[in-house]
Every structure is written in structure tokens, then in C-alpha cells.
């Protein structure tokens, strides 16, 4: 009986997402997309692009105490920081960059009291672990394993580090994760890999220059854009 109830609940959730997706597809704009799950049910590049275009604006209007720090860190991660990391020979991150990426993660999402452990990682260990992780790509499983040798770095934090280096590796945000996988969220490697595979498949369906991380950003924005922008 319990199993039947779970199946029914899952079916109801899928049906709700499809109803929202059908409305969005019919309207042709954000008006019908009321959740990341409904957006994920679509394969319409225009829908995703509208939310992706709102990403920076949405970040800048989040009700966060450390908003200035978040805005600066977000711009650095996907701009100057990404360029610097990619251009190193071999590509790697420094201890200070690890701390900045983690602070971005803890500020944009849920705060985690892990900075003490993060700061305890020696710079040479951070450099070696990230070098091995970046070299392991596109084997995401191996790359995650290499990054999580660092103190305070679990699969979700590792995904943020990898996403800065390679747009084909999505950050494990709660908003994107719950759009593609049933709750509860499990911050484990197998659970993350399922989420990553789902976003990669969606990027492939959307075509063009879509990547797993771009899809993830669109899903995240869909969760908050209505609250902080004039949609």
C-alpha cells in the first residue's frame, strides 16, 4: 500500500509539471512556467534562454545580507576566475580561489559552517587535487573523487569547483536538483551524477551552445526570478 501511495505521488508530481510545461509551451513565454520542474519538462530553447538571460539580474536582487560579496564572487567565477583557472598550465585552483568559490556557494545557497575546514587545506594540496580533477574530465565521477580529498569539500562543493572550469559540469544547486530528481536531496556522489546526467541530456535536447551548467542556471533562476524581478 505504501508503495502505491509513493507511485501515485510521483505520478501526480509529474502530471503537474507536464501541465505547467504545456501551458508554458502554449503561451510561448515565462508566464506558464511556474517552477523549475515545469521548465525541465520543456525542450524549448527559448524558454531556457529567457531565464538564463535573467540570471545575473536575479542574483543581484536576492534578499541576502552579503549581497555585494555574492555579486562580486558570482561575476568573478563565471568571468575572470574561469579564464584564469583555464589558462594555467596545467589548469588548477589556489587555496584562496577555493575559499572564494565556497563562499559563493554558501552565500548564494544555504550556509554551511565549513569555512574552517576549507581554509585548513594547504595550497599545494588544493593545487594538486584540482589539477588531477580537471585532468580527469570529462570523467565527472573521477573528477569528483579527486576534489573530495580536500577537507570540507563534498560532491556539491566539488561540482561548483568543476563547473567554474568546465561548463559541461553542472553545479549541484538544490533548485536544479529537485527539478530533475525526487526528494529528498542526497549530497552523495551517485545522486549528483544522476542529476548531472539529466542536465547533460537536457542540454543535448536543447541543442546549440547549451551546456549542463547553463541548464542548471536557467532552472535556478526560474525558482527565484518571479520573486525578485518583474515577471
Amino acid at each position: 500500500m505504501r508503495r502505491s501511495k509513493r507511485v501515485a505521488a510521483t505520478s501526480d508530481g509529474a502530471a503537474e509539471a507536464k501541465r505547467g510545461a504545456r501551458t508554458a509551451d502554449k503561451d510561448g513565454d515565462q508566464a506558464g512556467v511556474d517552477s523549475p520542474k515545469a521548465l525541465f519538462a520543456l525542450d524549448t530553447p527559448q524558454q531556457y534562454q529567457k531565464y538564463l538571460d535573467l540570471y545575473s539580474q536575479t542574483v543581484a536582487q536576492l534578499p541576502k545580507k552579503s549581497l555585494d560579496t555574492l555579486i562580486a564572487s558570482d561575476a568573478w567565477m563565471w568571468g575572470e576566475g574561469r579564464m584564469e583557472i583555464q589558462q594555467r598550465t596545467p589548469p588548477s585552483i589556489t587555496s584562496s580561489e577555493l575559499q572564494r568559490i565556497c563562499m559563493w556557494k554558501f552565500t548564494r545557497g544555504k550556509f554551511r559552517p565549513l569555512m574552517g575546514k576549507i581554509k585548513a587545506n594547504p595550497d599545494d594540496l588544493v593545487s594538486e587535487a584540482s589539477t588531477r580533477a580537471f585532468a580527469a574530465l570529462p570523467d565527472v565521477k573521477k573528477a569528483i573523487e579527486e576534489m573530495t580529498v580536500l577537507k570540507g569539500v563534498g560532491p556539491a562543493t566539488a561540482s561548483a569547483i568543476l563547473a567554474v572550469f568546465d561548463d559541461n559540469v553542472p553545479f549541484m544547486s538544490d533548485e536544479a536538483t529537485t527539478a530533475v530528481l525526487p526528494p529528498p536531496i542526497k549530497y552523495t556522489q551517485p545522486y549528483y551524477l544522476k542529476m548531472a546526467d539529466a542536465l547533460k541530456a537536457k542540454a543535448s535536447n536543447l541543442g546549440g551552445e547549451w551546456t549542463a551548467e547553463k541548464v542548471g542556471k536557467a532552472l535556478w533562476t526560474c525558482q527565484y526570478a518571479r520573486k525578485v524581478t518583474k515577471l
Side-chain angles (χ1 to χ4, degrees):
M1 181 64 69
R2 291 180 180 176
R3 181 180 180 184
S4 298
K5 288 182 178 179
R6 286 198 297 269
V7 172
T10 302
S11 299
D12 290 344
E16 181 181 352
K18 289 181 179 179
R19 283 196 294 272
R22 284 197 297 270
T23 303
D25 191 45
K26 180 179 180 181
D27 292 347
D29 58 24
Q30 300 103 318
V33 182
D34 57 3
S35 70
K37 185 175 292 187
L39 179 60
F40 190 72
L42 296 172
D43 284 331
T44 312
Q46 294 84 350
Q47 289 286 339
Y48 283 83
Q49 189 63 53
K50 287 176 182 178
Y51 280 105
L52 184 61
D53 290 344
L54 287 170
Y55 173 76
S56 294
Q57 179 184 349
T58 302
V59 170
Q61 296 185 50
L62 288 174
K64 297 285 185 177
K65 292 182 179 180
S66 304
L67 184 58
D68 289 343
T69 300
L70 173 60
I71 293 172
S73 295
D74 193 86
W76 172 83
M77 280 183 60
W78 312 117
E80 180 183 354
R82 167 174 281 179
M83 188 179 303
E84 290 177 353
I85 292 167
Q86 291 177 339
Q87 290 179 350
R88 288 192 185 116
T89 305
S92 64
I93 61 171
T94 65
S95 179
S96 61
E97 288 169 344
L98 170 64
Q99 293 172 35
R100 190 165 189 178
I101 293 170
C102 289
M103 184 56 68
W104 166 86
K105 176 180 178 289
F106 301 149
T107 305
R108 200 191 77 163
K110 295 179 181 178
F111 177 75
R112 304 278 193 241
L114 295 173
M115 284 307 295
K117 292 183 178 180
I118 297 295
K119 291 179 179 179
N121 289 297
D123 196 61
D124 58 346
L125 181 60
V126 173
S127 177
E128 292 169 3
S130 58
T131 296
R132 292 194 300 269
F134 296 154
L137 293 172
D139 186 340
V140 179
K141 181 177 182 294
K142 178 64 174 175
I144 292 288
E145 290 172 350
E146 295 290 358
M147 283 307 318
T148 52
V149 301
L150 299 176
K151 295 178 181 178
V153 176
T157 300
S159 74
I161 298 165
L162 296 174
V164 174
F165 175 69
D166 188 343
D167 218 43
N168 292 302
V169 183
F171 167 54
M172 188 183 184
S173 70
D174 288 357
E175 296 77 12
T177 302
T178 54
V180 304
L181 293 176
I185 297 177
K186 300 174 184 177
Y187 298 100
T188 62
Q189 184 190 82
Y191 195 83
Y192 168 70
L193 292 175
K194 290 180 181 179
M195 175 265 199
D197 286 343
L199 295 195
K200 288 179 184 178
K202 179 60 66 176
S204 178
N205 290 344
L206 293 174
E209 298 182 355
W210 281 97
T211 64
E213 174 54 24
K214 286 182 179 179
V215 171
K217 280 192 176 78
L219 293 172
W220 179 88
T221 305
C222 183
Q223 177 70 32
Y224 298 105
R226 289 179 174 277
K227 300 176 183 179
V228 299
T229 63
K230 296 180 180 179
L231 281 182

